[in-house]
Amino acid sequence: MADKGAIHIQLKGKVQGVGFRPYVYRLARSYDLKGWVSNGTDGVHIHVEGQKEILEKFYQDLLRDYPPLALLTESFCREAPFLGLEGFIVKESIEEKEHSVIVLPDLDVCESCKEELYCSSNRRFRYPFITCTQCGPRYSIIYSLPYDRSKTTMNIFPMCKDCLEEYENPSDRRFYSQTNSCKECGIKVYLYGKQKEEIAQGEEAIKEGAWAIAEGQIVAVKGIGGYLLMADALNPAAILKLRERKRRASKPFALMFNDIQEVEKEVYLSEKEKSWLISRQKPILILQRKKTQSPIADLVAPAQDTLGIMLPYTPLHILLLDYLKRPLVATSANISGLPIVFEEGELFLKLGHVFDKVLTHNRDIVVPQDDSVIRVSFFFKQTIFLRRSRSFAPFLNASLRVPKGACYLALGAEKKSTVCFCHEGNVFLSQYLGDLDCFEAEENFKKTLSHFFNLWGLKPQKIILDLHPLYRSRLIGETMSEEKNIERIYFQHHKAHFWAILAEKKLLGLEEPVLGVIWDGTGYGEDGAVWGGEFFLYYKGRMERVNHFEYFPLLLGDKAVREPRISALGIFRKESKIVEDFLKPKFNPWEWKTYRALLDRKKYWACCSVGRLFDALASLLGLCDRASFEGEAAIALQRLASSSVQSLSDLGKIPHRWFDEKAPLRRPISLENLLKSIEKAIVEEIPKEEISLGFHFWLSKLIGKLAENTGARKIAFSGGVFQNSLLVDLLYLQWADRFDLFFHDEISPNDENISFGQLVGALYGKEGREIDPQISRMDSNH
């Protein structure tokens, strides 16, 4: 007995739903150790007994060779009583008071399961819900922790005899696979008509669904995070019908392709783009189209030189595309601007007029999620998240210094909303939750909050909110604060952006200054103006607004956001030639008289948003006067600028005359020279491509000039403007050899990162404060 002992090990991180218990079981048996392994709400617990030197080797192996999908954030090992146990078992889960375990994101189907899917002798041949410990849904199906079948939507599917044998067999890769099922005991697939009349089940349902798509019908297909509306991407009539029914005039649709070989026929693929496309997350990739004749209908992405493409990530998708052998439109099942539909009843109630058939199944979705969207910059291969959702949320490996026992909740912004919180030392950032300016999105936001409270047993000590007095996220937070007696903190929108990039790039606590360039469309400023063209300096924990663009008139608030012509009128109001010849024709006589009177009477917002500068120029160049989707004008301007840039040498030919190197940089930064340069170029009929490229160049040049003035050697970028991959490449080209440049590549630069930045600011900064209600009131005369 003297050389024998026992230890108790606790592991935290992504350790549930990744095959960790089977791994521990096999490792312990290989060393002939006795004991048990179990899931708990605070991680994985292991009790092992045996020779002390063997226990040490076991612990070292455990921390070194764990499953590839797992992520260990903490491990604890202590001596335990020697109980003289016989054998090694997987015990029932332990219920602890603390819920600190990390929920794994949903996973695509793994290669082993894919092989079985196509193997005619396998009992899961063409089973559309095939999974194992290394693949399948996780986050989207969990009711509560720890991660056990009984606490997921798999709880209504008892395993058949064969599945149970696999589940209990340590040598099987489905040993303790909580989603294990087959055709005998598992999920059923159905095809319904518009009146919910059943048309077919099983394989026949998939086959008939594919046939309906081939005939030009729209089929709503249930995936991991919700329903997708799917249609034949080669059929213009089907795409037109989908646009009309969904009320989506021109925003591009995403496509789902069978395989990478088919993708390469349509678009250019760098190695980095390819690696993202085939990754386990299977995001939508925005890819450059080849300039060849394509069978894909023009209406899929009108006037775009890119396509949004993903590969199938569920067995059901794979089988559906197998029948069709062609790319499909795969767009979220919603009316544009509303959250994705994930419940069958809601689908028939709200979208019965959109789809023709429904290919669905009887496994419920707990957490709805849109597909994630990524772009990689053309020249310098910078990853840019446009939307972080399915397969990435909710855990964020942020490496933050979280005080022991701290539980803070940050509720983000109004647009592209997310929720972020720290709990038991971990940081969780929700999936994209949409824009809170509609009832459905607000309800989804509240449901997600409620789910998080239930899942982790949250008891926040602080709630962190945006300064904007009318943001729904703020109002929800204030109500919660009052009901639960929780302290609340307010953070300025753009400072939250800056905190987010500082944390993501591990720049917190540096002994040198970091310049933050935070450019976006809208954010409520500390002076009551609309900010969005900001320069901050971060040094030793303090953040200072060191410069910004001069304020210009923003007429009619949100209407200007939807109508770039209004931004153009406010910004170029003094450039007389442009006003009369290019702007006036964009308005009817009543509008012209009314809007000019508002300018004369100074009835507008004071604004310095770079996003509105993009809008204004896009309108002047005839690209977009009224946007049918957010960012349409900026996307059009970037596309125009990029059209003549095929190599780095092309970037070097940008007209330098726009930026005056000798002109002093004032505070605020004057737009006068830029606006006069644009006016002169338009009047002289300089090619629009050159004007757009010159504008991008002016912006990138300005950043380096200002950095030189501040003495900062590190520049960090955040805000929706930096979804512009051309601008990102320009910054690398001009400044990477003189400065350290930091861009988001794990979270989105847009407002999705606001909640994370708010949390970071509350943990590290001194910027949060209660806001005087008098200051919070927005003044239309500002």
Side-chain angles (χ1 to χ4, degrees):
M1 281 288 292
D3 59 345
K4 286 190 174 183
I7 56 175
H8 184 92
I9 301 167
Q10 181 186 0
L11 304 173
K12 291 189 174 186
K14 287 183 183 177
V15 291
Q16 295 187 14
V18 294
F20 218 107
R21 286 179 294 178
Y23 160 69
V24 172
Y25 178 94
R26 285 189 283 267
L27 183 64
R29 292 291 294 268
S30 72
Y31 278 118
D32 196 29
L33 296 173
K34 316 303 180 185
W36 50 262
V37 59
S38 179
N39 275 349
T41 52
D42 57 348
V44 167
H45 289 264
I46 307 162
H47 177 93
V48 280
E49 301 182 347
Q51 299 291 330
K52 289 184 178 180
E53 61 183 56
I54 300 298
L55 292 176
E56 179 62 30
K57 288 181 181 178
F58 168 81
Y59 186 50
Q60 290 173 0
D61 285 354
L62 187 70
L63 301 184
R64 185 181 61 242
D65 299 325
Y66 54 80
L69 291 175
L71 173 67
L72 283 183
T73 57
E74 288 183 286
S75 67
F76 306 94
C77 182
R78 58 177 171 80
E79 286 190 15
F82 184 88
L83 304 175
L85 299 175
E86 296 183 5
F88 194 92
I89 63 170
V90 178
K91 278 180 59 174
E92 290 297 314
S93 295
I94 303 168
E95 293 283 354
E96 299 284 350
K97 291 182 180 180
E98 295 178 350
H99 289 217
S100 60
V101 72
I102 294 171
V103 176
L104 197 71
D106 297 304
L107 302 169
D108 72 335
V109 58
C110 70
E111 290 302 315
S112 297
C113 283
K114 204 178 291 184
E115 287 178 12
E116 291 180 346
L117 187 69
Y118 287 122
C119 178
S120 58
S121 61
N122 191 282
R123 69 189 189 89
R124 290 188 177 86
F125 175 58
R126 300 188 68 80
Y127 174 54
F129 307 99
I130 186 171
T131 67
C132 68
T133 57
Q134 298 302 299
C135 66
R138 299 292 192 272
Y139 176 49
S140 64
I141 63 170
I142 293 176
Y143 289 122
S144 60
L145 293 171
Y147 176 66
D148 284 322
R149 191 184 187 97
S150 61
K151 297 178 184 296
T152 73
T153 59
M154 290 297 298
N155 64 349
I156 63 170
F157 305 107
M159 280 181 278
C160 68
K161 178 176 175 292
D162 290 337
C163 283
L164 192 59
E165 284 180 3
E166 293 170 333
Y167 183 82
E168 294 175 343
N169 181 2
S171 64
D172 197 287
R173 64 187 177 84
R174 292 189 171 89
F175 180 47
Y176 262 73
S177 171
Q178 303 306 315
T179 53
N180 194 30
S181 67
C182 70
K183 294 176 184 178
E184 297 301 317
C185 63
I187 306 135
K188 306 298 182 187
V189 61
Y190 306 91
L191 184 71
Y192 293 132
K194 290 178 74 69
Q195 305 304 316
K196 206 176 178 181
E197 70 278 15
E198 185 178 310
I199 297 172
Q201 287 189 25
E203 182 78 19
E204 194 63 24
I206 302 170
K207 185 177 180 180
E208 289 292 322
W211 181 249
I213 291 172
E215 286 188 321
Q217 295 184 41
I218 298 163
V219 177
V221 181
K222 190 175 184 179
I224 285 182
Y227 285 89
L228 294 176
L229 296 172
M230 306 191 84
D232 183 357
L234 312 186
N235 186 334
I239 308 307
L240 177 61
K241 178 168 63 174
L242 179 56
R243 287 203 175 278
E244 290 173 344
R245 291 181 180 180
K246 196 178 177 183
R247 289 182 279 176
R248 184 161 165 165
S250 58
K251 186 177 182 180
F253 286 132
L255 297 175
M256 187 177 284
F257 276 68
N258 293 61
D259 53 48
I260 201 82
Q261 291 75 27
E262 292 299 310
V263 172
E264 288 179 314
K265 293 176 184 178
E266 295 293 333
V267 296
Y268 298 101
L269 262 184
S270 68
E271 285 303 311
K272 189 165 188 177
E273 288 167 331
K274 185 175 181 178
S275 68
W276 269 122
L277 202 61
I278 65 175
S279 70
R280 296 300 307 271
Q281 292 86 359
K282 295 293 189 300
I284 298 169
L285 260 288
I286 306 300
L287 299 166
Q288 195 71 31
R289 298 188 75 165
K290 290 182 176 178
K291 295 179 179 178
T292 55
Q293 192 168 5
S294 169
I296 292 174
D298 291 338
L299 280 171
V300 167
Q304 303 293 320
D305 57 1
T306 56
L307 290 174
I309 293 175
M310 62 180 154
L311 295 179
Y313 50 87
T314 73
L316 181 58
H317 292 142
I318 291 170
L319 296 173
L320 185 65
L321 268 76
D322 263 354
Y323 279 115
L324 288 156
K325 308 264 188 250
R326 70 188 78 179
L328 302 181
V329 163
T331 184
S332 297
N334 61 359
I335 297 299
S336 291
L338 299 182
I340 188 170
V341 172
F342 68 103
E343 296 174 316
E344 196 172 281
E346 186 183 22
L347 181 78
F348 280 91
L349 180 67
K350 295 184 177 179
L351 296 177
H353 64 290
V354 177
F355 60 79
D356 298 300
K357 301 279 194 309
V358 176
L359 185 60
T360 189
H361 57 77
N362 58 341
R363 183 184 64 209
D364 288 341
I365 296 169
V366 178
V367 182
Q369 301 165 87
D370 289 278
D371 294 311
S372 298
V373 185
I374 289 174
R375 183 163 195 166
V376 176
S377 72
F378 189 77
F379 294 110
F380 290 93
K381 311 308 176 190
Q382 172 67 45
T383 295
I384 303 169
F385 269 84
L386 306 184
R387 184 167 69 205
R388 180 185 177 274
S389 194
R390 176 190 51 78
S391 294
F392 291 96
F395 176 67
L396 185 62
N397 190 17
S399 302
L400 292 181
R401 186 183 69 244
V402 179
K404 185 174 177 57
C407 181
Y408 298 172
L409 175 66
L411 298 191
E414 177 95 343
K415 300 288 185 181
K416 297 178 174 60
S417 65
T418 57
V419 171
C420 189
F421 61 94
C422 61
H423 178 66
E424 295 296 324
N426 296 316
V427 174
F428 299 88
L429 178 62
S430 77
Q431 70 277 19
Y432 160 85
L433 297 173
D435 299 342
L436 300 184
D437 52 4
C438 69
F439 173 77
E440 290 85 352
E442 184 178 333
E443 288 299 297
N444 183 42
F445 183 88
K446 291 176 179 177
K447 285 178 183 177
T448 301
L449 264 179
S450 177
H451 184 57
F452 286 163
F453 271 79
N454 292 333
L455 204 57
W456 281 280
L458 298 184
K459 296 178 180 178
Q461 297 117 10
K462 297 180 181 181
I463 293 180
I464 308 109
L465 309 170
D466 194 274
L467 287 188
H468 197 302
L470 301 180
Y471 271 6
R472 293 300 306 163
S473 57
R474 169 172 167 167
L475 299 176
I476 291 167
E478 288 176 336
T479 300
M480 185 186 302
S481 168
E482 291 166 4
E483 290 176 350
K484 298 179 181 291
N485 194 28
I486 304 171
E487 177 189 352
R488 59 180 181 259
I489 299 173
Y490 297 86
F491 264 87
Q492 199 281 322
H493 185 96
H494 300 92
K495 288 182 177 179
H497 270 305
F498 193 16
W499 283 114
I501 185 66
L502 287 169
E504 183 185 337
K505 292 302 170 181
K506 299 177 174 55
L507 299 172
L508 297 165
L510 287 183
E511 291 297 312
E512 60 177 303
V514 181
L515 177 67
V517 183
I518 315 299
W519 291 353
D520 64 3
T522 302
Y524 187 68
E526 291 172 347
D527 58 0
V530 178
W531 289 9
E534 311 307 313
F535 296 89
F536 296 102
L537 202 63
Y538 172 80
Y539 184 54
K540 293 186 176 180
R542 295 195 173 272
M543 193 177 288
E544 179 188 358
R545 189 191 193 203
V546 293
N547 216 327
H548 60 89
F549 288 100
E550 65 182 2
Y551 291 135
F552 52 79
L554 183 68
L555 290 168
L556 306 172
D558 287 344
K559 186 174 175 64
V561 176
R562 296 189 297 270
E563 299 184 25
R565 63 185 185 135
I566 296 175
S567 290
L569 177 59
I571 292 170
F572 286 91
R573 66 200 180 283
K574 296 177 182 177
E575 316 306 322
S576 58
K577 185 70 175 171
I578 282 184
V579 169
E580 291 299 320
D581 294 352
F582 293 90
L583 284 178
K584 190 174 182 179
K586 296 178 183 290
F587 301 88
N588 64 43
W590 180 89
E591 288 175 328
W592 187 251
K593 180 181 178 181
T594 303
Y595 296 167
R596 295 290 290 182
L598 290 174
L599 284 171
D600 292 341
R601 292 162 53 200
K602 297 186 178 180
K603 292 292 184 181
Y604 49 71
W605 304 107
C607 177
C608 63
S609 160
V610 176
R612 302 290 78 82
L613 289 177
F614 272 87
D615 285 355
L617 183 55
S619 176
L620 280 178
L621 296 182
L623 303 176
C624 181
D625 287 331
R626 293 178 175 85
S628 64
F629 61 90
E630 186 184 6
E632 182 177 3
I635 291 170
L637 200 63
Q638 177 188 340
R639 183 177 68 249
L640 185 67
S642 302
S643 62
S644 59
V645 179
Q646 302 301 320
S647 67
L648 282 173
S649 61
D650 289 339
L651 281 181
K653 298 173 185 176
I654 296 171
H656 286 226
R657 65 177 182 273
W658 278 31
F659 194 85
D660 187 352
E661 296 279 0
K662 298 179 181 178
L665 279 177
R666 300 185 180 91
R667 180 174 180 179
I669 297 165
S670 173
L671 294 172
E672 183 179 359
N673 288 340
L674 172 67
L675 302 186
K676 287 189 178 299
S677 296
I678 291 174
E679 179 189 30
K680 186 172 184 292
I682 290 174
V683 171
E684 292 178 359
E685 298 183 345
I686 300 296
K688 294 179 180 180
E689 295 83 356
E690 184 177 323
I691 296 172
S692 180
L693 200 52
F695 172 66
H696 282 77
F697 172 82
W698 187 90
L699 290 172
S700 60
K701 193 71 175 173
L702 173 71
I703 289 170
K705 182 77 171 176
L706 195 138
E708 289 174 340
N709 282 11
T710 62
R713 307 304 303 169
K714 298 184 184 299
I715 312 175
F717 303 86
S718 191
V721 167
F722 295 105
Q723 293 179 144
N724 184 319
S725 58
L726 174 64
L727 182 59
V728 169
D729 275 342
L730 273 170
L731 288 162
Y732 272 120
L733 177 68
Q734 293 188 89
W735 303 115
D737 60 341
R738 298 173 65 179
F739 301 99
D740 296 323
L741 307 181
F742 299 92
F743 296 92
H744 291 287
D745 55 15
E746 293 182 35
I747 56 179
S748 175
N750 66 35
D751 280 6
E752 289 178 39
N753 75 47
I754 291 291
S755 63
F756 176 55
Q758 291 170 339
L759 178 71
V760 176
L763 290 170
Y764 285 80
K766 301 173 182 177
E767 307 297 326
R769 55 191 173 93
E770 287 282 353
I771 302 300
D772 186 330
Q774 297 300 316
I775 296 175
S776 291
R777 224 182 284 126
M778 303 183 81
D779 180 0
S780 61
N781 290 313
H782 222 329

